[in-house]
Amino acid sequence: MAKQNQATWGGRFSAGPAELMLSFSESVSFDRRLAQFDIAGSKAHSAMLAHVGLITAKERNAIHRGLDAIGKEIAAGKFEWNTALEDVHMNIEQALTQRVPAAAKLHTARSRNDQVATDMRLFFKWACGEIDARLEEAQRALLALAELDGEVMIPGYTHLQRAQPVQVAHHLAAYLEMFERDRARFSGVAKHANWCPLGAGALAGTTLPIDREFTAKALGFVDERGRPRVTQNSMDTVADRDVFVEFATACALVGTHFSRLAEDLILWSSSEFKYIDLPDTFCTGSSLMPQKKNPDSCELLRGKAARLQGNLTTLLTMAKGLPLTYNRDLQEDKPPVFDSFDQTMMCLAVVAGTLTGARMRRESCARAVADPALLATDLADYLVENGVPFREAHHVVGAVVKLAETSGVPLDKLATADVQKIHPALKADWIDVFDLKRAAARRIGTGMPGPKQVKRQLARWRKHLA
Ligand code: ARG
């Protein structure tokens, strides 16, 4: 007889686990969210057992009915979880065993090692789709702001020094590109997750005549043509955590992207820049300073990005020293994965919420972008068009900029006679370079911020996100 609290493995034990060991080793507090995947896995596994004749059709039906009932109870929050049963797998199996005698055969040719690998792969396939939808939502919010205020010009920066003028739409569309790559990354993770672990057993498969392809098909682990995809090495199957790392990597990279966006918004919303007004609904005030409106959502986005990187580091560090195959350390793989999922989902919704309701502050943007130094490079291009080698042109314009600085005259207000002393190729029309509209309109190449190009970019995104 198994001793109390010794769940399924108590046969060779004379004492049950210490209370401390129970609370130390339980995972059901966090892996219970795998319940629906675990049930799907058990249904597919029992269907396979019946298919190969290891259980009867009647037993399979009883198991399925029992699992469905448990699934409903869990969904309704009525299922009683027991930490003494360690994890989601044993909780469900024990509950089933109490209701359905045939459940004693459910774990035939299966280990929790291939079971948990399966649950997690099902989770990843689902989670990647959820995050993809949120990424798309964030993209729509970027596009909406780009369509609303996109034609506003602001300085673009390198080294956080004013560099060249760009349309806000062009700046925002940079993040559309990043999020699009993120979406591709998650779709890649989902593809890598699409191999069925069931049948790998604890590490060395089973002597029983199972049909792994049947199980894989039943769980949707199939290629584009519906052919089953099963993992090819049983030891790798239960030891492998690559997809965990890939998923956390994809989340960390989304985090890096929304953190950079957040940083742009924080700078833009400061009194020093005044380029944007963030919505009150995503800002907070100060308990002391009545005038403050703080960009907290953006700051938290930056902070969460650090957390996402931490989760990735946890997973990499956890896996790197483990001998094959399964080690209990691997139970610690789930909290960082779930946290990365939850935080990424929430952050992307916050990105969308913060952008929706943000408005560019047109006057201060116009003031900033009127800085003629932003077009110093255009002046060098002008010289190139007048036959001056670029390296020389760069020097010449540098001297013109220096002259403006030392004489305290804006670049575009210098006398033509004075600049001609620096280089004769600066003809009377040199001043036309500082026409912002003209400067923008000349950036006609693919990926450049000319008005037509930006319009085309936005049209492409509108179509893509429709
Ligand atoms: N809760 C365990 C985990 O998440 C399931 C696998 C347990 N396997 C074992 N041999 N104890 O890793």
Side-chain angles (χ1 to χ4, degrees):
M1 272 296 280
K3 287 102 208 149
Q4 218 205 337
N5 281 351
Q6 283 186 19
T8 50
W9 42 257
R12 55 104 67 224
F13 283 76
S14 47
E19 279 300 316
L20 181 59
M21 180 55 187
L22 282 179
S23 52
F24 184 60
S25 65
E26 68 84 23
S27 58
V28 69
S29 54
F30 54 83
D31 66 16
R32 66 171 71 164
R33 65 192 286 170
L34 293 173
Q36 301 307 335
F37 304 115
D38 198 70
I39 287 171
S42 288
K43 285 179 78 172
H45 182 68
S46 50
M48 181 279 290
L49 292 177
H51 174 70
V52 300
L54 283 166
I55 64 174
T56 65
K58 225 173 139 190
E59 287 169 327
R60 175 201 58 205
N61 295 345
I63 288 172
H64 281 201
R65 272 195 304 275
L67 286 169
D68 286 339
I70 290 172
K72 277 199 191 108
E73 273 171 45
I74 293 171
K78 288 190 187 126
F79 186 80
E80 219 173 288
W81 297 100
N82 180 0
T83 49
L85 295 174
E86 286 188 24
D87 54 26
V88 61
H89 324 293
M90 299 234 273
N91 267 267
I92 291 175
E93 195 190 321
Q94 290 276 308
L96 187 67
T97 308
Q98 278 160 20
R99 303 161 195 216
V100 181
K105 297 188 178 176
L106 173 60
H107 212 54
T108 307
R110 185 176 73 170
S111 157
R112 274 185 294 161
N113 296 352
D114 56 351
Q115 191 178 357
V116 73
T118 304
D119 290 8
M120 286 303 289
R121 281 173 184 267
L122 291 171
F123 167 83
F124 286 127
K125 286 173 72 176
W126 168 81
C128 289
E130 296 292 299
I131 291 182
D132 182 74
R134 286 285 167 95
L135 277 165
E136 187 172 344
E137 199 183 301
Q139 284 181 312
R140 281 183 210 285
L142 280 165
L143 181 62
L145 183 57
E147 293 194 314
L148 199 68
D149 279 341
E151 83 288 358
V152 172
M153 302 282 291
I154 52 168
Y157 294 78
T158 62
H159 311 269
L160 198 50
Q161 306 293 316
R162 283 183 184 171
Q164 295 185 301
V166 290
Q167 281 191 39
V168 166
H170 194 59
H171 193 124
L172 294 173
Y175 289 103
L176 284 169
E177 299 285 345
M178 290 177 228
F179 287 159
E180 191 65 16
R181 288 195 295 274
D182 288 326
R183 293 178 68 180
R185 216 164 275 119
F186 279 103
S187 125
V189 175
K191 276 201 191 93
H192 290 174
N194 193 28
W195 294 89
C196 188
L198 275 176
L203 78 161
T206 175
T207 57
L208 296 167
I210 62 169
D211 184 342
R212 295 194 62 198
E213 284 70 21
F214 181 98
T215 317
K217 268 192 179 173
L219 285 172
F221 288 108
V222 292
D223 67 14
E224 320 73 51
R225 289 162 61 185
R227 290 173 302 196
R229 304 226 300 181
V230 301
T231 55
Q232 297 293 303
N233 179 298
S234 62
M235 294 181 79
D236 176 50
T237 301
V238 294
D240 169 34
R241 292 297 182 270
D242 289 7
V243 183
F244 294 61
V245 170
E246 286 181 28
F247 180 80
T249 301
C251 291
L253 202 38
V254 174
T256 300
H257 293 154
F258 64 60
S259 182
R260 295 181 77 167
L261 172 60
E263 174 63 9
D264 275 340
L265 296 178
I266 289 166
L267 287 172
W268 289 2
S269 67
S270 70
S271 311
E272 282 68 21
F273 282 74
K274 277 204 184 83
Y275 293 171
I276 201 166
D277 233 338
L278 296 176
D280 282 3
T281 44
F282 282 87
C283 294
T284 66
S286 157
S287 55
L288 181 75
M289 300 165 283
Q291 87 283 13
K292 292 295 292 290
K293 174 174 161 183
N294 299 326
D296 289 33
S297 67
C298 295
E299 294 169 279
L300 280 164
L301 285 169
R302 256 186 344 204
K304 302 279 193 188
R307 183 164 163 180
L308 296 174
Q309 290 176 20
N311 289 337
L312 170 59
T313 305
T314 299
L315 290 167
L316 285 168
T317 310
M318 187 188 57
K320 80 172 190 56
L322 294 183
L324 294 187
T325 53
Y326 179 85
N327 300 268
R328 192 66 183 273
D329 318 38
L330 291 175
Q331 182 167 286
E332 288 294 313
D333 60 8
K334 281 168 283 297
V337 162
F338 294 151
D339 188 61
S340 285
F341 173 70
D342 293 339
Q343 296 301 324
T344 302
M345 289 291 284
M346 185 153 56
C347 286
L348 288 171
V350 169
V351 166
T354 304
L355 289 171
T356 307
R359 291 290 172 277
M360 298 311 292
R361 304 177 68 165
R362 289 169 180 256
E363 268 167 41
S364 21
C365 289
R367 218 173 303 129
V369 83
D371 179 354
L374 288 164
L375 293 170
T377 312
D378 293 48
L379 188 57
D381 289 348
Y382 163 92
L383 285 171
V384 167
E385 280 175 330
N386 287 304
V388 182
F390 180 75
R391 277 293 156 227
E392 190 187 343
H394 190 286
H395 261 281
V396 170
V397 178
V400 176
V401 168
K402 196 165 167 201
L403 175 65
E405 251 172 43
T406 50
S407 58
V409 177
L411 197 55
D412 57 342
K413 297 287 178 301
L414 290 170
T416 302
D418 291 336
V419 299
Q420 274 174 348
K421 275 181 218 144
I422 297 175
H423 201 290
L426 290 164
K427 306 263 165 49
D429 63 350
W430 78 288
I431 205 76
D432 297 345
V433 163
F434 296 99
D435 179 341
L436 197 57
K437 271 218 171 85
R438 175 180 175 277
R442 300 191 71 176
R443 291 172 152 73
I444 55 172
T446 305
M448 296 181 195
K452 279 202 189 111
Q453 285 62 35
V454 173
K455 209 177 248 169
R456 225 175 286 147
Q457 256 190 94
L458 293 190
R460 173 170 64 83
W461 283 114
R462 207 174 305 126
K463 211 171 138 202
H464 181 65
L465 298 171

